[in-house]
């Protein structure tokens, strides 16, 4: 390979130097051969682009890359000299350092490849635009001639597949995965490509249709139809006939339409068929059903939609752009190839961060800043930092995202309300489903946890949120501590933007985000006498230290406080929130937070639910007053320490107590057994818990006892035989328990027991035969053998075996 020719350009000499160095080192140095092979492959791909680009603009915006190539050649020479003769720490460290730098070199070269490809595409696009102008002029001349000579107009058919945008980034991997799913898997006839609005679904579908392998497979049998919000099968079939160049038949009823679709397939079956149904909206299941039920083989259907349509198989979810791809797209949209200053790069990074990997947002913002002075760029970033929404400055992006909510308004307004509530939590943070269960139970009457989960599945199906389960092997039992919600930050911004419409005092939700001590102007000036919001969310960062001004929110039923400081004082205005039913305190700081003003809760006579995340309990135990109305309290990743008994004394009417990931919980105080109204007791992932109070049998109203993943729990107290109304006992993953109480059979109401992964449990007491209401036992292969001898006596029992999940990827998803 040689680039020698007259007129050395900006890249030729450093490119040739780098290539020669890589070629020589690849042959001589075994240590880095694999990485050098990758770099050589990248250089091979770059070579024709460098030749082409230098013919048109040899020096424009390429100096940085030339410098990087020169530095790369020096790096390769150093790697060639590196020999790992002995395994000293210095030698190993040096090898690691060079390998890391080689990866960075390849990454830089790949970015150059993207930039040059985009530059070449832009030149081609400009040429194409010129040709289209000429084409329009000629078309007008032709029409004029036809009018003069009375010649009939020739009807031409539009191309079957619209062209993809001239520039696409970040779609190579999704395209490959789409082809694997739709072309290679014979079982898949229909695939739904789903994501939120503006994420590039239609672009990917067009790119899929233009792919050479796809075109070779389907030949002329690729049909691309935009369905949109009001699907009509007769219009779609009419469009298919037009795309084929045939005269569409006349349709008199739906039966004729279906028959014509079948006839269309018969006439086109000489080659495999590909239907692309683009922009399909919720409520179009019947349309997809008609296509899915076509009685022909050798056809594929690709559906693009914001809705997952789960009944038609597992969808393909298109992810957001990576930071690297987002930067390439922004550079192109804003025409930054000739602007390499640090200022532009720094502002670009801030803008990309705000766009959150959404291609539509990146392209629109980039185009709006193209050719603008640097001051305009600064102004846009400053406005965002002050709390302005990107949706305020781009109406096209807002309209695209807003259309998903407009559909919810008509179809399922309660789902829209749930979506808007997700704006209560900080960006880039997972939302605990358990918190949403508490909120929606009081706001919308969703008393059964499963109704909240159903709504979250609905939001996930509409690409408005994503429900994540950290431990898939867990048995679904109505306890959702390992369920979380994630959301694209652009959708979170949409929720906040939508909730912020209208006068402040009349909003249903009030979201307050405070950076440092910069309180909102309206709050400082006390312009609003009373705010009618039912949901109030206040988020502060680690620099917050201001004193809360007075605020009147007498109608608030849910208060969410998100903070990051080690010490946090509850707002004094809480004392007058007479209608407050739910309090959620979420600490995202590194250390458990110490709370002040917790005694204010004593004046809240309607408070029913409290959720504490990453909170230190000892301080609040000293000041907490009796909360007679409180029915449920949840501790998540809290430091329990001393004084927990005082907390329990203040909750005489408690019905549900949940404790999860409270690592310093060793044993419960005895006054736990005085909570005679308690119906649900869930202690999960508290690995140091070694024993329950001996008198736990005094909890005579207890219906659920969940002791999941308490690794050091040795046994269950014998008094549990007195739990006569207990329906569910869960001791899964309590692998220190060796035996069950002899009189366990006295728990006459037990319907379900989970003993999976109780590896030290070697035998069952004979009294299990007295569990007459037992109908389900959840276990693993080992504990299953313990139950088999009793099955002739437990005729109504169904044994469900849970396979152990040896994949530990869920550990990366643990709360931090």
């Amino acid at each position: 390979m040689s680039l020698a020719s007259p007129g050395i350009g900006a890249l030729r000499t450093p490119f040739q130097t780098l290539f020669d160095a890589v070629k020589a080192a690849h042959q001589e140095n075994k240590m880095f051969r694999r990485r050098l092979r990758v770099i050589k492959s990248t250089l091979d791909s770059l070579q024709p682009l460098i030749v082409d680009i230098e013919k048109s603009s040899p020096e424009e915006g390429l100096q940085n890359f030339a410098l990087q190539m020169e530095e790369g050649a020096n790096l390769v020479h150093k790697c060639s000299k590196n020999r790992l003769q002995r395994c000293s720490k210095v030698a190993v460290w040096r090898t690691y350092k060079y390998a890391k730098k080689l990866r960075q070199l390849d990454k830089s070269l790949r970015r150059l490849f993207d930039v040059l490809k985009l530059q070449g595409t832009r030149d081609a696009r400009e040429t194409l635009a010129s040709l289209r102008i000429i084409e329009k002029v000629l078309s007008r001349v032709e029409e004029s001639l036809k009018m003069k000579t009375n010649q009939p107009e020739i009807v031409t058919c539009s191309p079957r597949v619209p062209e993809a945008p001239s520039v696409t980034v970040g779609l190579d991997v999704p395209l490959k995965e789409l082809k694997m799913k739709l072309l290679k898997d014979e079982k898949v006839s229909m695939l739904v490509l789903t994501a939120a609005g503006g994420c590039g679904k239609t672009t990917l579908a067009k790119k899929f249709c233009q792919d050479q392998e796809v075109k070779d497979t389907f030949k002329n049998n690729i049909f691309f139809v935009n369905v949109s919000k009001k699907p009509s099968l007769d219009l779609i079939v009419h469009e298919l006939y037009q795309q084929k160049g045939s005269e569409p038949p006349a349709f008199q009823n739906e039966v004729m339409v279906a028959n014509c679709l079948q006839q269309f397939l018969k006439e086109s079956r000489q080659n495999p068929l590909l239907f692309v149904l683009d922009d399909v909206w919720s409520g179009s299941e019947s349309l997809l059903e008609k296509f899915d039920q076509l009685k022909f083989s050798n056809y594929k259907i690709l559906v693009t939609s914001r809705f997952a349509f789960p009944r038609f198989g597992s969808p393909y979810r298109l992810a957001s752009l990576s930071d690297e791809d987002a930067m390439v797209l922004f550079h192109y949209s804003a025409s930054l190839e000739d602007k390499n200053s640090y200022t532009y790069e720094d502002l670009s990074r801030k803008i990309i961060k705000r766009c959150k990997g959404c291609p539509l947002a990146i392209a629109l913002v980039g185009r709006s800043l193209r050719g603008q002075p640097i001051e305009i760029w600064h102004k846009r970033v400053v406005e965002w930092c002050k709390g302005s929404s990107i949706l305020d400055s781009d109406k096209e992006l807002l309209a695209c995202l807003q259309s998903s909510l407009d559909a919810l308004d008509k179809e399922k307004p309660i789902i829209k309300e749930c979506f808007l509530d997700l704006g209560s939590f900080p960006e880039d943070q997972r939302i605990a489903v358990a918190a949403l269960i508490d909120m929606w139970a009081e706001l919308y009457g969703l008393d059964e946890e499963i109704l909240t989960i159903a709504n979250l599945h609905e939001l996930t199906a509409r690409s408005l949120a994503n429900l994540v389960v950290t431990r898939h092997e867990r048995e679904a039992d109505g306890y959702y501590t390992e369920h979380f919600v994630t959301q694209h930050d652009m959708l979170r911004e949409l929720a906040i933007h939508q909730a912020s419409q209208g006068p402040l005092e009349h909003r249903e939700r009030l979201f307050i985000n405070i950076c440092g001590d910069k309180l909102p102007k309206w709050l400082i000036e006390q312009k609003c006498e009373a705010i009618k919001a039912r949901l109030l969310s206040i988020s502060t960062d680690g620099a917050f230290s201001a004193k809360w001004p007075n605020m009147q929110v007498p109608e608030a039923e849910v208060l969410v406080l998100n903070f990051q400081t080690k010490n946090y004082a509850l707002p004094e205005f809480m004392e007058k929130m007479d209608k407050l039913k739910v309090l959620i305190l979420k600490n995202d700081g590194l250390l458990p937070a110490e709370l002040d003003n917790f005694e204010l809760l004593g004046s809240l006579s309607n408070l029913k639910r409290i959720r504490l995340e990453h909170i230190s309990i000892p301080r609040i135990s000293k000041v907490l007053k009796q909360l007679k109305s409180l029915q449920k309290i949840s501790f998540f990743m809290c430091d329990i320490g001393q004084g927990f008994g005082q907390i329990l004394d203040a909750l005489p009417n408690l019905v549900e107590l949940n404790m999860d990931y409270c690592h310093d919980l060793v044993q419960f105080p005895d006054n736990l057994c005085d909570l005679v109204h308690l119906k649900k007791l869930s202690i999960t992932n508290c690995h140091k818990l070694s024993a329950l109070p001996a008198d736990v049998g005094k909890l005579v109203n207890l219906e659920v006892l969940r002791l999941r993943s308490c690794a050091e729990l040795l046994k269950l107290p014998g008094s549990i035989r007195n739990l006569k109304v207990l329906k569910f006992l869960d001791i899964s993953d309590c692998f220190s328990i060796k035996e069950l109480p002899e009189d366990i059979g006295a728990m006459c109401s037990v319907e379900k027991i989970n003993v999976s992964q109780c590896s030290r449990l070697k035998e069952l007491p004979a009294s299990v035969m007295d569990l007459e209401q037992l109908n389900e036992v959840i276990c693993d292969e080992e504990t299953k053998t313990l139950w088999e001898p009793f099955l002739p006596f437990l005729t109504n029992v169904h044994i469900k075996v849970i396979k152990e999940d040896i994949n530990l990827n869920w550990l990366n998803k643990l709360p931090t």
Side-chain angles (χ1 to χ4, degrees), residues 790-802:
F790 299 96
L791 292 182
F793 307 96
L794 300 170
T795 55
N796 296 322
V797 169
H798 168 67
I799 300 288
K800 184 171 184 178
V801 177
I802 302 293

Side-chain angles (χ1 to χ4, degrees), residues 428-652:
D428 300 323
Q429 296 286 336
R430 294 184 307 170
I431 303 170
V433 167
L436 298 174
I437 288 173
D438 288 340
M439 291 170 56
W440 294 346
E442 300 302 332
L443 288 174
Y444 312 122
L446 304 182
D447 294 326
E448 297 183 36
E449 292 88 345
I450 196 171
L451 298 178
T452 290
I453 301 300
N455 285 355
L456 291 172
H457 278 299
E458 183 78 34
L459 288 171
T460 300
R462 293 170 177 266
S463 299
L464 292 172
N466 188 29
L467 181 60
V468 178
V469 184
T470 56
R471 295 290 300 271
H472 286 281
E473 82 278 12
R474 295 290 197 200
E475 168 68 14
D477 58 12
Y479 188 59
Y480 298 100
T481 188
E482 289 163 341
H483 289 61
F484 297 87
V485 174
T486 60
Q487 187 179 43
H488 193 289
D489 285 334
M490 196 62 65
L491 293 172
R492 176 182 176 273
E493 199 152 331
L494 174 64
I496 294 174
H497 181 275
Q498 181 75 11
S500 301
Q501 303 305 302
L504 188 72
E505 59 270 19
H506 295 299
R507 295 176 187 171
E508 284 282 313
R509 299 165 187 79
L510 181 58
F511 301 143
I512 303 176
N513 294 286
I514 300 174
C515 295
D517 289 331
K518 297 177 182 178
L519 300 175
K521 187 176 180 181
W522 62 265
L523 184 56
I524 297 173
E525 296 177 354
Q526 297 287 294
K527 288 187 175 181
C528 296
E529 292 187 2
I531 299 170
K532 297 180 180 179
R534 295 180 66 200
L535 168 59
L536 173 62
S537 169
I538 304 176
S539 299
T540 56
D541 59 18
F544 178 76
S545 61
K547 183 178 180 181
W548 289 106
N550 185 42
M551 185 164 60
Q552 297 182 44
V553 277
E555 304 296 322
E557 299 177 42
V558 175
L559 175 61
V560 180
L561 297 175
N562 306 294
F563 54 94
Q564 300 177 25
T565 49
K566 176 68 171 66
N567 295 284
Y568 185 82
L570 300 186
E572 293 184 1
F573 60 75
M574 282 181 57
E575 192 172 14
K576 297 180 181 179
M577 297 174 67
D578 297 332
K579 294 186 178 181
L580 191 65
K581 298 177 181 178
V582 180
L583 174 62
I584 297 173
L585 298 176
K586 187 175 188 294
N587 169 29
D588 291 313
L590 295 176
L591 299 172
E594 301 278 356
L595 297 181
D596 290 321
N597 292 345
F598 211 75
E599 65 273 14
L600 296 174
L601 274 56
S603 63
L604 303 176
S605 59
N606 289 301
L607 188 61
K608 296 181 180 180
R609 299 166 182 257
I610 295 177
R611 178 175 174 83
L612 304 176
E613 296 191 17
H614 210 196
I615 304 297
S616 179
I617 301 304
R619 179 182 291 190
I620 66 176
S621 67
K622 298 175 182 178
V623 299
L624 182 62
K625 297 179 181 179
Q626 279 224 338
L627 302 177
K628 294 183 178 180
S629 62
L630 198 73
Q631 298 177 6
K632 178 181 177 181
I633 189 166
S634 301
F635 300 89
F636 181 75
M637 292 185 67
C638 291
D639 273 6
I640 302 303
Q642 301 297 317
F644 191 59
Q646 294 170 267
I647 295 283
L648 298 180
D649 282 338
L651 311 174

Side-chain angles (χ1 to χ4, degrees), residues 676-680 697-705 720-729 746-751 773:
V676 294
H677 300 287
L678 200 64
K679 292 184 177 181
K680 294 182 180 180
K698 289 183 178 180
L699 300 174
V700 293
N701 289 303
L702 198 65
E703 297 177 0
V704 174
L705 177 57
I720 69 166
R721 63 181 178 273
N722 297 322
L723 302 179
K724 302 298 183 182
V725 298
L726 191 75
K727 296 181 179 179
F728 178 37
L729 174 63
M747 297 191 298
C748 54
S749 298
V750 170
E751 299 174 356
Q773 301 299 318

Side-chain angles (χ1 to χ4, degrees), residues 781-794:
E781 290 288 351
E782 187 175 351
T783 52
K784 175 187 175 183
T785 60
L786 304 179
W787 288 90
E788 287 176 341
F790 299 96
L791 292 182
F793 307 96
L794 300 170

